[in-house]
Amino acid sequence: MKNILSIQSHVVYGHAGNAASVFPIRRSGVNVWPLNAVQFSNHTQYPQGWKGMIMPPSHLGELAAGLEAVGALNHCDAVLTGYIGSAEQGKVILDIVSLVKQCNPQAVFFCDTVMGDPVKGCKVAPGVAEFHRDQALEKADLMSPNVLELSRLVNRETGSIEECLAAARELTRRGPRIVLVKHLSYAARDKNNFEMLLVEAGGGAWHIQRPLIEFPRQPVGVGDLTSGLFLAAILKGMSPLAAFEFTTAAVYEVILATSEAGEFELQLVAAQDRMLSPRRYFTAQALA
């Protein structure tokens, strides 16, 4: 059994951060230990606002120390991070990653670089984007920015597939061995499709697309779901390419179920069987 320490936000209602990734990872057959960096009543895209708190950085370190004390970190195969509450939390998280790798040198660090999106209403604390660019990048084994975050990581525009590929290749030279660009958005070839990019250090690069499902309000947590399923597939022994194609199909099933229900929150429970056995697969195309 593989184990993931997932350090992300958590919402009591709905699905974002750990609330979007923990259940799908477990249904995939991989154990996950959720460590909540933030706990909110609901995600931040609700116009009515939200209630809750950002956990003190020391709290994260204390919980990790507790896991080490009982020997759990010896069996931790990956640290997954997503939305965090502050740059100060980020520094503690890197200490936790270092501790996990001391306990298990084979463990990997998967950094989902959530930097905020003003258009969607996703807000992060000052310094978080810089933390990902200046500190987390070089420590990560796997990284999953969207196209906007990719641009921020390389400090230049990424408005086409070619520019995204060049930027992702640059990231692999600076840290992660695998970069999953989990939403190409305005850089996509076909605006009617949802497109992603996978790049391996010194290796292949692939582009994949699936139909884009329109919503009155786009669901939140899709990126968290994508990163969690992809990491779980890698830990289960899939190749990066196979994990890429499976994750695309699995997430599409969740999006379809959410649309069919007429909901805004991801329908993870309703789609749990379809997610594991997708009815439609999508083939990734190799890029030069």
Side-chain angles (χ1 to χ4, degrees), residues 73-74 76-77 98-108 141:
L73 297 188
N74 297 326
C76 181
D77 299 287
S98 178
L99 178 61
V100 169
K101 291 195 171 192
Q102 288 174 28
C103 295
N104 179 12
Q106 303 305 312
V108 298
D141 299 293

Side-chain angles (χ1 to χ4, degrees), residues 199-279:
V199 178
E200 291 190 82
W206 295 270
H207 170 267
I208 201 166
Q209 60 186 24
R210 62 165 173 81
L212 178 66
I213 307 299
E214 293 293 343
F215 289 83
R217 290 192 300 168
Q218 283 298 316
V220 172
V222 177
D224 307 319
L225 172 63
T226 299
S227 294
L229 286 175
F230 182 79
L231 177 57
I234 292 290
L235 291 180
K236 289 168 63 179
M238 285 190 188
S239 69
L241 176 57
F244 187 45
E245 293 179 334
F246 167 75
T247 299
T248 302
V251 172
Y252 183 59
E253 291 291 350
V254 175
I255 296 298
L256 277 178
T258 304
S259 176
E260 291 162 3
E263 294 288 345
F264 169 51
E265 295 285 359
L266 293 175
Q267 298 299 291
L268 297 178
V269 175
Q272 59 182 299
D273 294 328
R274 292 166 56 177
M275 178 178 65
L276 296 183
S277 301
R279 297 171 296 180

Side-chain angles (χ1 to χ4, degrees), residues 65-105:
L67 294 176
E68 181 190 22
V70 298
L73 297 188
N74 297 326
H75 309 289
C76 181
D77 299 287
V79 178
L80 171 63
T81 61
Y83 184 104
I84 60 175
S86 67
E88 291 72 24
Q89 277 191 348
K91 296 174 183 177
V92 173
I93 287 171
L94 291 186
D95 290 339
I96 294 173
V97 170
S98 178
L99 178 61
V100 169
K101 291 195 171 192
Q102 288 174 28
C103 295
N104 179 12

